Structures are given as structure tokens and as C-alpha cells.
Amino acid sequence: MAKVNDIYGGGDFLKAGDLQNKRHTVVIESWDVQESFGSKQIVLDFVNKTKRFSLNKTNARMITQLLGTEDTDEWIGKAISI
């Protein structure tokens, strides 16, 4: 039997299984935009973390609401819980 995390685990991007069903507070260090399969996504890097977080539209809008700005440059240095 194959386990999903065994197949899709590892890599450079944060996955739900990496969080171990716990809330983690992280500080946004930087961001960039990556294109995949014809669509663009914001990708966040966190202070002292090796994995990156690729935002879907819902997560990007939630962070915008939480931080009170859609300007991603203003997200740098801000803490969020994931």
C-alpha cells in the first residue's frame, strides 16, 4: 500500500503533513512569484525555515486580510500562523 506522504513528501515546498496537525507561527522573510502550469502563485520564504510556502488564491487573500495589505512587500517581517 502506498502512502500519499511517501510519494509526495520531501521537496522544497511546505505540505500539510509537515505541520503535524499543529499551528506554527512563522515570520515572512521574502516572497516571489512562480509560474506553474500557466498560472502564477506567490511563494513565501520564512525566517529560519527551509521549506517554502506556495499560496493558492484563498491563502493569499487570507494573508492579505490578516495583515491588512495586499502589498506583498509589506508582508516581509510579519508573523502569521499556519
Side-chain angles (χ1 to χ4, degrees):
M1 175 188 319
K3 293 183 180 177
V4 172
N5 204 36
D6 291 342
I7 296 168
Y8 296 106
D12 296 334
F13 289 94
L14 188 64
K15 296 170 187 59
D18 297 328
L19 301 175
Q20 300 175 356
N21 292 323
K22 297 178 185 173
R23 183 176 301 264
H24 297 265
T25 299
V26 293
V27 176
I28 299 170
E29 181 174 54
S30 62
W31 65 272
D32 65 7
V33 175
Q34 290 191 348
E35 191 164 339
S36 179
F37 300 106
S39 66
K40 295 179 182 179
Q41 286 190 322
I42 297 169
V43 178
L44 301 180
D45 290 298
F46 302 121
V47 173
N48 297 321
K49 304 294 180 189
T50 57
K51 293 207 174 186
R52 308 182 82 206
F53 188 41
S54 181
L55 302 180
N56 59 27
K57 288 179 188 178
T58 300
N59 288 337
R61 289 182 176 136
M62 288 178 68
I63 292 172
T64 295
Q65 274 192 307
L66 176 70
L67 299 180
T69 180
E70 65 178 17
D71 184 344
T72 52
D73 284 338
E74 293 182 23
W75 294 4
I76 296 173
K78 301 288 195 295
I80 59 171
S81 290
I82 53 174

